[in-house]
Amino acid sequence: MLLTFSAEETPCAVLFDVFKRQACMSHSNLAESILSTAMLPDGRSVVAHAHDRSWLSRNVVHAPVDVAQARLFADFGYSGARLCMHLRSRRTRPMGAEEIYAMVTSDAARKMDAALEAAGEDARPYRNLLERIGANREYSAVDRAELALVLFVAAGCSGSASTAVRYTLSYEQRAFGATSPTPPSTQLASRLHAHARDNSGLHLGLIRVRDGYIVGKPHWVDPAGEGCVVGFLATGEANVCDAEQDVSSRHLHLWFEDGSWWVEDLDSANGTWLRPAGEDGECRLIAGERFAVGPGDELRLAASTSFMLVEGLPG
């Protein structure tokens, strides 16, 4: 289905619109669940303005991301859990847990991705975590619905994918004692030796490889920086989250040191393999040990996420 997104919609506007259209929840009722009790200069609390349509539209729903104030919102976890309970137990049109998760992952809710991107955020960690929550069968349907709502609310209220992901992972750890595991891979490989390569000071680029074809543009890693982390939920401008579900949240570290580029598997769940340039075989990296890499090498993370390494300059 071809979706048309409005670049003017803020993450918060998407949040309110989805609840209104798919959960039949008015703006004022949703505001009562997500606004804080902090006091405003007019002597009233933030949540006391929930039924003031003009104030709510101007200061919350349609406020630019860089203008909306964090103190306007209650704790994201409290709001998400409260909303999940309300939707499941209300007398009029109660929603089941699977229906709640489907709402958060619906075509309409995917507007959140576009709204986050329009706000200058990389929405992929948000989308990746949402998919991982749905794939986690160690949790009940109710747990998955609650976590998805916490993530959705956090993204809408903060306007930041990285903030939403970090908060939700922290909430999951506090509420459930763990975070959603990396799904297992089904592919294994043999082990060879890696060889160090010299580097001329150029940037190293990672390009995704799918079905033997290079796709997309390189993600350049600056040798003068701290390198990058590759992972399904890796946040931050320097990091890479273009990966499949079976890649760990923080799977691999790539950096430049002592005249060479190095990679280290960060104790990933499903492993990392290195195919040196010009060779047919792969070697599996030992977690916690660094391996030298260079242009022409190929890295495979878990079963099906592969990157070709190239050398060059951005731009």
Side-chain angles (χ1 to χ4, degrees), residues 76 121 154 158 160-168:
F76 305 142
E121 289 281 319
S158 70
S160 167
S162 56
T163 296
V165 167
R166 288 195 299 269
Y167 179 89
T168 304

Side-chain angles (χ1 to χ4, degrees), residues 103-121:
M103 176 185 74
V104 177
T105 57
S106 66
D107 286 345
R110 284 192 70 92
K111 291 182 179 180
M112 183 65 77
D113 298 42
L116 290 169
E117 295 281 356
E121 289 281 319

Side-chain angles (χ1 to χ4, degrees), residues 256-267:
F256 184 77
E257 183 180 0
D258 298 330
S260 293
W261 288 98
W262 302 90
V263 293
E264 178 185 349
D265 182 280
L266 300 177
D267 197 22

Side-chain angles (χ1 to χ4, degrees), residues 4-5 13 15 18 50 55 66 107 109 128 135 141 149 170 177 181 190 220 263 265 275 278 303 306:
T4 300
F5 298 140
L15 175 69
V18 168
W55 184 94
D66 58 349
D107 286 345
N128 288 349
L149 274 180
S170 175
S190 60
W220 294 108
V263 293
D265 182 280
R275 185 194 304 275
S306 295

Side-chain angles (χ1 to χ4, degrees), residues 221-242:
V221 183
D222 187 347
E226 297 180 356
C228 80
V229 171
V230 183
F232 192 68
L233 301 178
T235 60
E237 185 177 353
N239 297 329
V240 180
C241 62
D242 181 13

Side-chain angles (χ1 to χ4, degrees), residues 101 127-138 144 172 179-188 231-233 243-251 267-271 273 284 300-305:
Y101 182 80
R127 178 57 48 183
N128 288 349
L129 181 54
L130 197 56
E131 291 177 1
R132 180 161 290 180
I133 290 170
N136 186 356
R137 297 303 160 180
E138 295 183 10
R144 291 195 297 273
E172 184 180 12
T179 55
S180 296
T182 305
S185 289
T186 56
Q187 212 170 337
L188 297 176
F232 192 68
L233 301 178
E244 305 301 325
Q245 278 253 15
D246 57 356
V247 171
S248 293
S249 301
R250 293 172 58 84
H251 193 109
D267 197 22
S268 65
N270 294 318
W273 286 260
R284 181 168 183 172
R300 177 167 63 81
L301 285 60
S304 56
T305 298

